[in-house]
Amino acid sequence: PPAGGQQSADLRNLDYAREVLASKVGQSLGPPGGEVRSLVMAPGDESRLYLGTLDGHVYYSVDGAFSWTLSYPDLPPDAVVDNLAVHPESDDTVFAAYYQGNGSGGLLRSDDGAKTWRRLPVPGAPSLRAMSISPSDPDVVYVGGLGGIWRSNDGGASWDRVETLGPNAE
């Protein structure tokens, strides 16, 4: 625990944020940027949240959704951030899967709490619609979308296709 009264202050701030959110039921909350398509909580810190929007924005909050900071993942203008996942052992490691209207998409990774991003080499730049990180082995990441399912055994550095979807699937 933090030294001094920091833990108590953090809990009071979180309680205050919860009270504020509860008082706004039925009202619009959160940052601007379109319809929220993905919202995840960091497993080690319930006050840290990440969200992705219909118009390709990614935001993060470190105070239980009381305030939001816009991240800049350098996505195409028509990208939809439909899936976010936080590494089960590192609240700073976030994956963002997106798709575009033309049927393409991709996957990004941030290792600094959504401040900077890098593209991951999912073969064929697929339109990604689902993502999961193994809780028992966080280096194992699955993504799925139009055209199949891919698996990474090294945190997203390389990928293998594990399933084909659609009318020509074998």
Side-chain angles (χ1 to χ4, degrees):
Q6 184 62 41
Q7 184 176 15
S8 295
D10 288 346
L11 291 176
R12 282 193 303 270
N13 289 341
L14 188 55
D15 287 341
Y16 175 74
R18 285 183 181 140
E19 286 178 31
V20 169
L21 291 173
S23 72
K24 297 191 180 287
V25 171
Q27 296 179 29
S28 179
L29 290 175
E35 174 185 315
V36 174
R37 299 302 297 257
S38 181
L39 176 66
V40 294
M41 180 188 313
D45 181 359
E46 69 180 20
S47 65
R48 189 182 302 193
L49 302 162
Y50 300 93
L51 71 80
T53 68
L54 178 67
D55 60 357
H57 290 97
V58 176
Y59 290 87
Y60 60 93
S61 174
V62 296
D63 58 10
F66 188 68
S67 65
W68 294 92
T69 301
L70 178 61
S71 179
Y72 295 94
D74 191 29
L75 292 171
D78 64 337
V80 176
V81 181
D82 216 24
N83 286 277
L84 295 169
V86 182
H87 190 287
E89 297 174 357
S90 172
D91 295 342
D92 285 332
T93 302
V94 185
F95 294 84
Y98 68 93
Y99 67 88
Q100 296 173 254
N102 65 4
S104 67
L107 184 65
L108 303 172
R109 177 178 171 150
S110 173
D111 292 312
D112 60 6
K115 293 172 186 69
T116 61
W117 297 88
R118 72 179 193 276
R119 292 193 191 288
L120 297 179
V122 180
S127 177
L128 297 177
R129 307 299 175 101
M131 176 176 33
S132 183
I133 301 173
S134 170
S136 62
D137 184 355
D139 283 336
V140 176
V141 181
Y142 284 92
V143 293
L146 303 181
I149 298 171
W150 291 264
R151 175 186 168 133
S152 173
N153 292 321
D154 54 15
S158 63
W159 297 87
D160 292 311
R161 186 183 214 142
V162 295
E163 182 66 38
T164 302
L165 303 174
N168 299 324
E170 297 180 43

